[in-house]
């Protein structure tokens, strides 16, 4: 203790190294570029898996960084009761988040390779046909839920109990009976994403009433 009664302890200095540190003035395009979005898409086209993990304090902007969507809360009063509903929609192009920019980049690169192959200017990928499919799942309270399952299945409660995770030698780990929707354009893929977000389970808490608290 010091003379004033406060506790003191030794302070150890730590050094951390980061690939990039962006200011609060960084926009969505800056985040995508500095985080290696183009690099991730290129590796996906080569057959590798890619993962983007957003981590941070609640309310720090993780969801906006990843999707850039506009989340709206609607309150309807009926007598003494107040019904709360949520809706989501795409905002300005400049606000589109990491996921949407990856989708755009993926479809643009596939089209570029297709054109080069047709013109005979491609050194590789000439014998490849790309099919892009979209699936969207949520891990919530240790259960896996298919966010693109048909409405009829959700109403019957067929997907509320959580889905099974399986493993096969050739496929590795996968979610059994997860819906995969073929996408013929970037916009159709984005539409599936927005639909999945609308079906996501939202649990509010004291720090952020609209946090998904899921993965």
């Amino acid at each position: 203790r010091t003379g004033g009664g406060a506790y003191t302890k030794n302070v150890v200095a730590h050094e951390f190294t980061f690939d990039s540190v962006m200011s609060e003035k960084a926009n969505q395009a800056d985040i995508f570029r500095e985080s290696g979005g183009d690099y991730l898409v290129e590796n996906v086209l080569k057959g590798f898996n890619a993962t983007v993990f957003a981590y941070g304090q609640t309310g720090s902007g993780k969801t906006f960084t990843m999707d850039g969507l506009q989340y709206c809360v609607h309150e309807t009063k009926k007598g003494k009761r107040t019904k709360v509903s949520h809706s989501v929609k795409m905002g300005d192009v400049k606000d589109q988040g990491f996921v949407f920019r990856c989708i755009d980049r993926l479809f643009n690169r596939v089209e570029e390779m297709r054109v080069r192959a047709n013109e005979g200017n491609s050194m590789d990928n000439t014998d490849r046909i790309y099919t892009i499919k979209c699936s969207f799942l949520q891990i919530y309270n240790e259960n896996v839920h298919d966010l693109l399952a048909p409405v009829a299945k959700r109403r019957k409660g067929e997907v509320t109990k959580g889905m099974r995770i399986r493993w096969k030698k050739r496929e590795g780990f996968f979610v059994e009976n997860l819906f995969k929707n073929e996408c013929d354009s970037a916009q159709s893929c984005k539409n599936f994403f927005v639909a999945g977000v609308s079906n996501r389970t939202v649990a509010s808490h004291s720090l952020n009433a609209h946090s998904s608290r899921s993965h």
Side-chain angles (χ1 to χ4, degrees):
R1 279 193 181 195
T2 61
Y7 285 97
T8 60
K9 59 181 179 180
N10 295 330
V11 178
V12 180
H14 296 278
E15 292 186 1
F16 300 92
T17 302
F18 302 93
D19 292 324
S20 178
V21 177
M22 287 162 277
S23 73
E24 67 277 7
K25 296 181 180 180
N27 56 36
Q28 297 283 52
D30 296 332
I31 300 295
F32 183 77
R33 182 182 62 256
E34 293 297 323
S35 300
D38 288 342
Y39 175 80
L40 291 176
V41 173
E42 290 301 318
N43 279 280
V44 166
L45 292 171
K46 294 176 181 178
F48 296 98
N49 294 323
T51 301
V52 178
F53 184 72
Y55 173 82
Q57 170 71 35
T58 297
S60 61
K62 300 183 297 297
T63 300
F64 179 77
T65 298
M66 293 306 296
D67 61 39
L69 296 172
Q70 294 181 358
Y71 292 82
C72 305
V73 179
H74 310 280
E75 293 185 355
T76 304
K77 289 188 177 181
K78 191 173 183 180
K80 295 182 178 180
R81 284 186 164 186
T82 300
K83 182 180 178 181
V84 179
S85 60
H86 301 79
S87 65
V88 59
K89 62 180 181 179
M90 285 186 272
D92 296 334
V93 175
K94 65 180 178 62
D95 290 331
Q96 289 190 357
F98 206 96
V99 173
F100 287 84
R101 291 173 188 274
C102 280
I103 292 172
D104 284 332
R105 180 62 178 170
L106 178 62
F107 277 90
N108 288 339
R109 287 291 292 121
V110 169
E111 179 61 18
E112 288 173 6
M113 290 186 291
R114 186 190 66 81
V115 171
R116 286 206 307 268
N118 291 338
E119 294 175 348
N121 297 326
S122 178
M123 298 296 294
D124 56 7
N125 298 327
T126 55
D127 58 344
R128 295 182 183 179
I129 298 176
Y130 289 93
T131 300
I132 300 175
K133 297 181 179 181
C134 173
S135 59
F136 197 174
L137 62 83
Q138 175 186 37
I139 302 175
Y140 184 79
N141 287 341
E142 300 184 1
N143 289 319
V144 179
H145 302 279
D146 188 348
L147 297 181
L148 295 181
V151 176
K153 279 185 171 289
R154 293 199 302 275
R155 285 177 178 172
K156 290 180 181 178
E158 295 180 27
V159 295
T160 57
K161 297 179 181 179
M163 306 179 71
R164 295 181 179 180
I165 299 177
R166 301 291 193 184
W167 182 88
K168 288 185 179 180
K169 187 174 182 179
R170 292 187 61 182
E171 300 180 42
F173 289 99
F174 66 96
V175 178
E176 188 178 43
N177 297 324
L178 183 68
F179 276 86
K180 296 180 180 179
N181 301 275
E182 189 167 329
C183 304
D184 57 4
S185 67
Q187 188 59 51
S188 67
C189 191
K190 292 177 182 179
N191 290 341
F192 279 124
F193 182 85
V194 174
V197 169
S198 299
N199 295 330
R200 188 175 57 185
T201 299
V202 174
S204 63
H205 53 87
S206 58
L207 289 178
N208 186 348
H210 314 303
S211 173
S212 68
R213 296 187 69 184
S214 65
H215 307 284

